[in-house]
């Protein structure tokens, strides 16, 4: 693997496996996992002004406005641990966010290295969303059917209590998918035109998706 900074984007609809795969891949790539949704949830948990602003949008499954989101993610990317790159999960989600990211990286003489587009049919995503459970303390992600914890309701890693995200309901998931197709899916063409997008089949076992993603990054 080369030592050039690696800025890799995991693109995909809600519950396509971005967070699951990022947790498995970031060590392999030697870059931090930067997830805009996790940054918002951290702010929400700590009742920061940013968290309070974002909550209303998140609860409805709408995108948080670009200016708030771009500022938050750029601040994260400016920290020293992102100097060698980052594995971006959930950002960018609009053309304006993609342009802001490209511009910020260009100012440092860098660029997005690759975009991994995780493809999963919508009907599979609804079951994934409603069955997802997360650890209250470490954020590890489970699924009641596809990735159950050893003991129901308890995190395998640190014994933390598992909970369901407020936006992981059947009512909200429809809107999240609509928002994805309207506002985020144009990024597929945007990055395809730049010649850096690779489609990966996300409708297979978690370990198989990881292998496919590693293969799509093998030349970096
Ligand atoms: P965010 O947290 O990014 O949510 P999302 O995009 O809806 O994606 P998810 O986290 O739901 O899915 P994932 O792809 O990470 O799937 P996971 O691996 O967990 O955003 C939340 C909200 O924040 C947004 O709605 C918006 O309001 C706001 N926001 C965030 N970023 C923003 C931005 N850039 N701009 C504006 N607003 C923004 O997997 C899902 C489940 O499936 C898990 O239970 C998992 O165990 C299971 N699973 C995973 N892979 C497989 C597999 N291969 N087979 C079977 N099950 C699987
Ligand atoms: Mg996620």
């Amino acid at each position: 693997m080369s030592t050039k900074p690696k800025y890799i984007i995991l693109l995909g609809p809600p519950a396509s496996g971005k967070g699951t795969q990022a947790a498995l891949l970031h060590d392999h790539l030697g870059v931090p996992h930067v997830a805009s949704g996790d940054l918002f949830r951290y702010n929400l948990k700590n009742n920061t002004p940013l968290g309070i602003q974002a909550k209303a949008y998140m609860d409805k499954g709408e995108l948080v406005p670009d200016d708030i989101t771009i500022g938050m993610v750029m601040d994260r990317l400016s920290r020293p641990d992102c100097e060698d790159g980052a594995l971006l999960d959930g950002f960018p989600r609009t053309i304006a966010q993609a342009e802001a990211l490209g511009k910020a990286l260009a100012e440092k003489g860098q660029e997005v290295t690759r975009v991994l587009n995780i493809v999963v049919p919508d009907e599979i995503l609804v079951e994934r969303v409603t069955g997802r459970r997360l650890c209250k303390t470490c954020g590890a992600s489970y699924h009641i059917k596809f990735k159950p914890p050893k003991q129901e309701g308890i995190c395998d890693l640190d014994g933390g209590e598992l909970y369901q995200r407020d936006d992981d309901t059947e009512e909200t998931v429809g809107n999240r998918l609509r928002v994805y197709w309207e506002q985020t899916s144009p990024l597929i063409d945007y990055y395809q035109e730049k010649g850096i997008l690779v489609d990966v089949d996300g409708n297979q076992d978690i370990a198989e998706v990881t292998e496919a993603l590693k293969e799509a990054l093998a030349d970096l």
Side-chain angles (χ1 to χ4, degrees), residues 25-75:
L25 275 176
H26 75 96
D27 273 348
H28 168 78
L29 292 166
V31 294
H33 171 196
V34 173
S36 44
D38 290 350
L39 293 172
F40 281 129
R41 280 182 288 277
Y42 174 84
N43 277 280
L44 212 69
K45 196 171 144 194
N46 291 291
N47 245 328
T48 69
L50 194 147
I52 293 163
Q53 265 184 304
K55 184 174 169 30
Y57 299 98
M58 294 175 79
D59 283 349
K60 284 189 283 193
E62 301 286 339
L63 293 186
V64 179
D66 282 336
D67 54 340
I68 301 176
T69 307
I70 291 167
M72 175 185 75
V73 176
M74 292 312 157
D75 178 61

Side-chain angles (χ1 to χ4, degrees), residues 10-23 33 35-41 54-66 68-70 72-73 89-94 97 118 120 124-125 127-134 139 141-148 165 167-168 172-173 175-177 179-180 183-184 201-210:
L10 288 175
L11 187 65
S16 53
K18 302 181 297 292
T20 301
Q21 296 300 332
H33 171 196
S36 44
D38 290 350
L39 293 172
F40 281 129
R41 280 182 288 277
K55 184 174 169 30
Y57 299 98
M58 294 175 79
D59 283 349
K60 284 189 283 193
E62 301 286 339
L63 293 186
V64 179
D66 282 336
I68 301 176
T69 307
I70 291 167
M72 175 185 75
V73 176
D89 153 11
F91 182 94
R93 235 156 136 140
T94 62
Q97 292 178 17
I118 308 181
V120 182
I124 305 280
L125 299 172
E127 190 182 8
R128 286 204 194 166
V129 164
T130 51
R132 173 168 43 197
R133 300 292 182 272
L134 296 158
S141 171
Y142 298 88
H143 190 283
I144 51 173
K145 185 166 155 194
F146 305 125
K147 195 190 166 198
R165 262 168 52 177
D167 61 345
D168 275 354
T172 310
V173 70
N175 199 37
R176 284 163 63 195
L177 283 169
V179 166
Y180 167 79
Q183 300 186 54
T184 304
D201 178 9
N203 191 16
Q204 41 183 346
D205 286 349
I206 291 174
E208 288 171 334
V209 180
T210 310

Side-chain angles (χ1 to χ4, degrees), residues 124-190:
I124 305 280
L125 299 172
V126 176
E127 190 182 8
R128 286 204 194 166
V129 164
T130 51
R132 173 168 43 197
R133 300 292 182 272
L134 296 158
C135 175
K136 265 191 178 160
T137 42
C138 76
S141 171
Y142 298 88
H143 190 283
I144 51 173
K145 185 166 155 194
F146 305 125
K147 195 190 166 198
K150 291 195 186 92
Q151 198 185 335
E152 197 187 322
I154 306 289
C155 178
D156 292 350
L157 303 178
D158 64 2
E161 190 190 331
L162 301 188
Y163 77 102
Q164 192 168 16
R165 262 168 52 177
D166 288 347
D167 61 345
D168 275 354
T169 59
E170 227 167 311
E171 302 82 74
T172 310
V173 70
N175 199 37
R176 284 163 63 195
L177 283 169
R178 188 186 53 75
V179 166
Y180 167 79
W181 285 111
E182 282 177 17
Q183 300 186 54
T184 304
S185 70
L187 291 178
I188 299 172
D189 281 350
Y190 178 86

